[in-house]
């Protein structure tokens, strides 16, 4: 079966510091991968998605970036964090075969920028 | 892109009563509509989904209906229980992406 991992689970960072969040998927190959952000008590905002290694689409212009160095690895980065970057970051995957639209979420990373 | 609207934003029901959450979408090309349940501090979990070639789907106490002509779909939870309390998100898919509603916070009062 497929599993999706995210780390770290929680992170407290000062404003202006860099960020690196990692997401990995097991049990499937060539998945679609997604990064979402959820502000406290709010909905899900799609940040980036990727249909393959090195292929990244950005949905919202911001100080964040994403990379996909391996088939089942998706990384969210920032060079300088802002206060507004605080939130719950969720990685998700979907299959490129069969029911490709269904997305499954990782456990999330809770980021607090102070 | 797709615009998904969800109502109500909050919903309180007595245990045992039914709960209905409604969503509308804007792009008639959307053809897949999942519903997610998110408990406090947890990840969203898929609870039921429906495709555009089906008008209704049921899974025990949960059902979803879809009206393609009107471009709206609804989640129905019957015989609600306290463990149904959570935030529920609807979504519509378009071009490899899911577009989410803003969520409904359901509270089931024992």
């Amino acid at each position: 079966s497929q599993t999706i991992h995210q780390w770290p689970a929680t992170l407290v960072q000062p404003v202006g510091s860099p960020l690196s969040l990692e997401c990995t998927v097991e049990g499937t190959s060539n998945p679609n991968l997604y990064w979402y952000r959820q502000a406290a008590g709010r909905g899900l905002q799609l940040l980036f998605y990727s249909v393959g290694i090195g292929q990244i689409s950005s949905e919202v212009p911001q100080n964040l970036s994403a990379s996909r160095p391996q088939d089942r690895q998706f990384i969210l980065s920032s060079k300088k964090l802002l206060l507004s970057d605080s939130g719950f970051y969720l990685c998700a995957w979907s299959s490129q075969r069969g029911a490709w639209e269904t997305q499954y979420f990782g456990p999330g990373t809770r980021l607090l920028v102070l | 892109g797709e615009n998904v609207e969800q109502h109500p934003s909050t919903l309180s029901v007595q245990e045992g009563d039914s709960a209905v959450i409604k969503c509308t979408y804007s792009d008639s090309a959307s053809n897949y509509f999942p519903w997610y349940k998110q408990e406090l501090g947890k990840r969203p979990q898929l609870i039921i989904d429906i495709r555009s070639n089906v008008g209704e789907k049921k899974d025990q106490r949960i059902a979803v209906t879809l009206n393609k002509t009107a471009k709206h779909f609804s989640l129905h939870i019957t015989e609600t229980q306290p463990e149904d309390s959570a935030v529920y998100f609807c979504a519509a898919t378009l071009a490899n992406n899911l577009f989410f509603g803003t969520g409904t916070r359901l509270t089931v009062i024992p």
Side-chain angles (χ1 to χ4, degrees):
Chain A
S1 64
Q2 300 84 12
T3 55
I4 178 168
H5 304 279
Q6 284 186 247
W7 64 90
T10 60
L11 192 58
V12 181
Q13 291 284 97
V15 168
S17 64
L19 173 74
S20 181
L21 303 181
E22 190 163 344
C23 169
T24 59
V25 181
E26 295 177 356
T28 188
S29 58
N30 197 27
N32 294 324
L33 295 172
Y34 308 83
W35 277 112
Y36 291 88
R37 177 170 59 202
Q38 187 175 35
R42 306 292 295 275
L44 294 155
Q45 179 188 32
L46 178 65
L47 302 175
F48 301 94
Y49 72 93
S50 171
V51 298
I53 296 174
Q55 300 178 63
I56 308 295
S57 295
S58 173
E59 291 298 305
V60 182
Q62 59 217 322
N63 68 320
L64 300 173
S65 62
S67 62
R68 186 169 176 175
Q70 301 181 44
D71 180 47
R72 289 169 288 177
Q73 183 185 31
F74 205 22
I75 297 172
L76 183 69
S77 304
S78 174
K79 292 182 180 178
K80 285 186 177 182
L81 283 169
L82 307 173
L83 286 174
S84 57
D85 290 325
S86 294
F88 191 37
Y89 287 81
L90 290 155
C91 181
W93 75 275
S94 68
S95 174
Q96 293 202 25
R97 298 183 297 274
W100 55 268
E101 312 97 326
T102 305
Q103 292 185 21
Y104 301 94
F105 288 88
T109 294
R110 199 163 300 280
L111 171 66
L112 179 60
V113 182
L114 300 174
Chain B
E2 175 66 276
N3 180 41
V4 178
E5 295 190 356
Q6 183 172 348
H7 301 280
S9 57
T10 60
L11 178 61
S12 292
V13 299
Q14 292 289 334
E15 182 177 358
D17 287 350
S18 295
V20 180
I21 302 171
K22 298 182 179 181
C23 289
T24 60
Y25 60 100
S26 60
D27 198 318
S28 57
S30 292
N31 58 8
Y32 174 68
F33 307 92
W35 285 87
Y36 288 84
K37 174 183 179 183
Q38 187 177 26
E39 297 177 351
L40 189 63
K42 302 286 184 63
R43 74 184 88 182
Q45 300 265 29
L46 179 72
I47 55 171
I48 195 168
D49 55 15
I50 191 168
R51 299 185 184 278
S52 59
N53 59 344
V54 175
E56 183 175 357
K57 184 176 178 180
K58 189 174 181 180
D59 182 4
Q60 298 182 348
R61 297 186 297 108
I62 296 173
V64 58
T65 58
L66 171 66
N67 184 326
K68 284 180 59 180
T69 303
K71 288 188 282 191
H72 68 69
F73 55 114
S74 301
L75 178 72
H76 304 252
I77 306 174
T78 59
E79 300 172 28
T80 54
Q81 301 168 4
E83 52 265 37
D84 295 328
S85 295
V87 178
Y88 291 81
F89 292 97
C90 64
T93 193
L94 187 65
N96 254 354
N97 287 330
L98 279 179
F99 295 84
F100 286 88
T102 49
T104 296
R105 183 174 299 279
L106 173 65
T107 302
V108 179
I109 304 166

